Structures are given as C-alpha cells and as structure tokens.
Amino acid sequence: MMIWECPKQKQEDTGTWMTTLKNDTFLRALLKQPVEYTPVWLMRQAGRYLSEYNATRARAGDFLSLCKNPGFATEVTLQPLARFPLDAAILFSDILTIPDAMGLGLYFAQGEGPMFERPLRHEKEIHALTVPDPNAELRYVMDAVSEIRKALDNRVPLIGFSGSPFTLACYMVEGRGGTEFREIKTMLYERPELLHHILKINAQAVTAYLNAQIESGAQAVMIFDTWGGSLSQAAYLEFSLAYMQQIVSGLKREHDGVRIPCIVFTKGGGLWLESIAEIGCDAVGLDWTIDIGNARQRVGNKVALQGNLDPSVLFASPEIITAEVGKILESYGKGTGHVFNLGHGISQFTPPEHAAALVEAVHTLSRKYHE
Ligand code: CP3
C-alpha cells in the first residue's frame, strides 16, 4: 500500500525544511523573512461575536465542554477561517486549562467570567501544587491540536498557546478575574517566596504544555501575559518576565526540522519592550497603547512585532477601520517582521462584517510595504 507523504520544500533563506503550507506568510513574517503582504489573525478570533460559535457552544452545553471536546474545539477553531481569509488559526482552548488540570476546579459562572472552586490561599496548598502531565490531564488539548491540524490540511499554520506563569497565578490566587489583584499583590510583597514557588511550578507546567502542543502539531506558540502590565517595573521583571524567559529557553524551537516561532505578549508591557525583546522570543505582541513604528525603532532587528489595532476600532464603520489599519501599516513602514493583529481580544459585540473589513484592508493596503 502506498503511504502518501507530505511533500517538503527547501526554504532557501533559512536552510530549514518546511512542510508545504499553502500559506506560510504568518510564519515567514515572525521569522522576518520576506512576505508579499502583512499576515493577519485576531486574538479570540473564534468567539461570541460569531453566531456559528454561539450555536456550537449551545450544542456543547457550555464553554468548558467546548474546550474539552476535541471535535467541538476543531469546529470552532475553523469557523473564523471559513468567514475571513485569515493567515493563521489559533487552537480553541483557554489559558486556564493548566490550573484546572492542577485540581483547582475551574468553572464559569453566568456573566462572571472564570472562577476557581479552590483558589490558592494557604501555604500547604501551594506546596502541594504539582506539574500536570500534558499528555494525561491535558490530553484533550493535545487531541484537539492534532485534530485541528488534520482539518486545516496545511491551509494556514496553527498557533498553540498558554498563559504566562504570572497571569495564571493571578487567577489561581485570586480565584477569579476582575479583582484588583489584592490577594496576589499582598503575597508578592509579604511572602514573595510563596509566589516564586507557584511561578516556578507554573513555568515548568507551561513549558511542558507548550512542548506537548508543538509535538502534537502546533506550528507557532504564543504566551499570553494578560496581567503582567499591572506590576511595577521591578516586580514585572522579577515575577513575570523572568519566568517567561525560563519558558522560552525550555521550548522546542524546531519540530520535524521546521522552526517553531514563539510570540510573547504582555498587555500593558509597552514600557518594557526592550527587556521583553531580549528573552529569546521571535516576536513581541503589542497592545494598542503604543505606536508600532516607535516600538520597531526600540527593538531594532531583534524581534518581529504583532499587533496592534485597538479592538474598539471595530465598532466604527468599515471606512474608518480601513483608515485605522492604514495608519498602523504606515507607522510600521516597509519590510517584513509585522504580523497584524488587534491589541487585545476581539469584543463579543463586534459585527463580523467589520472583522472582514479589517482583514481585507490589511491584505490590500500592506502590499506596497513589501515591494
Ligand atoms: O484567540 C482565540 O480565538 C483562541 C481562544 C482563546 C480563548 N481564551 C477562548 C475563550 C484564547 C487564546 C484565550 C486566552 C485567555 N483566556 C486569556 C489571555 C488572553 C486575554 O484575553 O487576555 C485569558 C485572560 C483567559 C481567561 C478567560 N477565559 C477569561 C477572562 C474569559 C471570559 C472572557 C469573556 O469575554 O467573558 C474566558 C472565557 C473565554 N475564553 C471565552 C472564549 C471564546 C468566552 C467564553 C464563552 O463562550 O462564554
């Protein structure tokens, strides 16, 4: 019996071998290789602003059942790609799968966002924390990655992701989102060694989790540090960035002979760009508070940049969206190394036609910057 083998093609500029992706623009931009246009994807591109997402979620029962069923996760991952010519897919899951697998009891209360039944408040619980086996407790995520890769059929690359150790710790200690970080910041200043212990375990868990996603087929990975920006500069470097650096150093950077780029995104991290660009990642994600041209000057040739349209621009008309996209492309300027994205997740109140206008504007307006 003939076994069909995925054809491979030589990438002249890097000397690496790449599985034939029909569209590898996103991976090329992350590695600062030449592209014909600026690639684009949207944080939270599969989500409640799409009616088909809400329909699948209703069939699954709730959000967590959607995440934990690889068939449903595959279906919703592909939904935005069926609507818009996006240049990457992102695994449908959540950053809180890790603390859930650690036994903290994740649940979503109606209208409340994520909550934990057993937040970490006592020394004893903190010392009892263990690193989950990504191929056991988090098997459903790895199964989703492989199933999504099959369904994508090499159309565009698949991004795997995780939360940063500090952002995960925020939810693990606070027990919920939407707090003013009173519990975790008290721990940070009063019992720093306890927080360091949590962060050390989280960093090991994230490294193992991302490497398992890479082995299951993720072609790039992203670390979401949603709450690092709530820290002082000194605390950010010590309690967030240092642990992301550990992760980046422990990641598999190549799989099947193909380079796996890594993106680090600290929301509110604009002040610390130079330091973030030093940790060994390929790209830095930017929120919308910083000018991308200025960010490019600051990081020089070190990393690619991903971002950074204010998600609220998508509430305005397609004409205004097109103009705002144009400003970001112009500010970044000529050349590769830019992946277009929002500065944070797309709002559930975004009209899908406005997301379509964004993607089209990026694809058409960006060509002249790559001639
Ligand atoms: O980008 C994608 O399309 C992939 C999917 C994705 C989700 N969450 C799905 C999701 C990703 C990458 C995340 C990451 C995530 N989750 C982060 C980091 C990025 C960020 O937004 O800052 C954080 C902090 C979480 C934790 C989390 N999960 C929160 C705060 C919420 C509630 C959000 C809300 O809008 O109510 C979730 C739930 C969640 N994760 C939803 C989705 C689509 C909405 C759940 C629903 O269907 O009700």
Side-chain angles (χ1 to χ4, degrees):
M1 194 177 71
M2 274 284 288
I3 297 173
W4 186 79
E5 262 194 36
C6 204
K8 296 201 165 176
Q9 141 199 325
K10 181 103 166 88
Q11 299 282 302
E12 298 299 338
D13 34 6
T14 56
T16 57
W17 291 87
M18 221 164 191
T19 308
T20 306
L21 261 168
K22 287 160 199 138
N23 175 359
D24 65 356
T25 319
F26 166 72
L27 296 179
R28 289 182 155 274
L30 288 177
L31 298 175
K32 303 185 115 228
Q33 296 171 2
V35 288
E36 283 169 17
Y37 61 87
T38 305
V40 55
W41 70 279
L42 306 174
M43 287 192 260
R44 294 268 180 97
Q45 63 192 24
R48 285 170 294 186
Y49 74 109
L50 296 177
S51 53
E52 58 273 33
Y53 168 84
N54 293 320
T56 310
R57 184 176 179 268
R59 273 198 289 134
D62 54 37
F63 171 70
L64 271 185
S65 314
L66 196 56
C67 291
K68 291 187 176 180
N69 177 312
F72 283 134
T74 302
E75 190 176 313
V76 294
T77 299
L78 267 62
Q79 285 170 347
L81 300 167
R83 279 205 191 228
F84 323 116
L86 294 156
D87 297 291
I90 179 159
L91 161 71
F92 188 83
S93 189
D94 199 82
I95 62 165
L96 301 177
T97 49
I98 287 184
D100 186 50
M102 288 170 165
L104 274 63
L106 174 65
Y107 68 101
F108 284 80
Q110 198 61 40
E112 298 268 4
M115 319 258 273
F116 283 106
E117 282 164 28
R118 293 172 289 281
L120 298 177
R121 292 287 161 75
H122 306 289
E123 203 157 340
K124 212 173 107 214
E125 298 149 2
I126 291 170
H127 285 298
L129 268 186
T130 54
V131 175
D133 177 350
N135 290 308
E137 290 96 324
L138 292 159
R139 184 75 243 163
Y140 65 92
V141 177
M142 306 312 143
D143 291 343
V145 171
S146 340
E147 198 168 327
I148 296 164
R149 273 299 301 275
K150 270 193 222 120
L152 277 172
D153 193 23
N154 282 325
R155 253 195 297 162
V156 290
L158 175 64
I159 307 166
F161 71 90
S162 176
S164 73
F166 178 73
T167 293
L168 294 179
C170 285
Y171 288 96
M172 292 161 75
V173 173
E174 299 291 326
R176 55 180 303 152
T179 63
E180 284 167 35
F181 308 108
R182 185 149 58 98
E183 302 287 347
I184 191 158
K185 288 201 175 183
T186 306
M187 187 185 289
L188 186 153
Y189 289 111
E190 204 143 82
R191 299 293 310 275
E193 79 290 356
L194 275 188
L195 183 54
H196 276 302
H197 181 76
I198 301 175
L199 295 169
K200 184 181 91 181
I201 301 282
N202 283 359
Q204 290 168 3
V206 170
T207 308
Y209 183 56
L210 288 178
N211 280 337
Q213 290 184 32
I214 291 167
E215 281 181 354
S216 303
Q219 290 151 298
V221 291
M222 174 154 165
I223 303 171
F224 286 88
D225 185 25
T226 306
W227 301 123
S230 69
L231 293 170
S232 71
Q233 169 161 299
Y236 174 71
L237 300 177
E238 180 180 344
F239 293 91
S240 187
L241 193 63
Y243 290 94
M244 293 198 285
Q245 178 160 24
Q246 275 182 29
I247 295 165
V248 173
S249 325
L251 284 181
K252 291 182 196 296
R253 303 306 282 274
E254 222 182 82
H255 182 66
D256 285 347
V258 180
R259 174 125 176 112
I260 310 291
C262 161
I263 311 163
V264 170
F265 171 60
T266 293
K267 184 163 177 280
L271 284 172
W272 312 312
L273 261 191
E274 291 86 348
S275 309
I276 304 172
E278 293 281 348
I279 69 167
C281 53
D282 299 281
V284 175
L286 305 174
D287 70 23
W288 64 89
T289 59
I290 183 170
D291 176 78
I292 195 167
N294 179 260
R296 186 183 189 185
Q297 279 176 3
R298 287 170 54 196
V299 300
N301 252 342
K302 244 192 191 122
V303 287
L305 294 173
Q306 176 174 278
N308 68 339
L309 188 77
D310 181 348
S312 302
V313 168
L314 294 180
F315 298 139
S317 67
E319 294 69 36
I320 290 171
I321 294 167
T322 304
E324 292 293 327
V325 164
K327 288 183 198 166
I328 289 177
L329 292 171
E330 178 62 28
S331 172
Y332 186 84
K334 275 188 173 285
T336 187
H338 181 203
V339 170
F340 203 99
N341 205 318
L342 300 173
H344 198 206
I346 190 166
S347 155
Q348 61 172 309
F349 304 110
T350 306
E353 319 81 75
H354 291 191
L358 181 161
V359 173
E360 199 195 320
V362 174
H363 283 165
T364 48
L365 299 179
S366 66
R367 289 191 178 262
K368 69 174 183 202
Y369 298 100
H370 300 284
E371 280 164 358

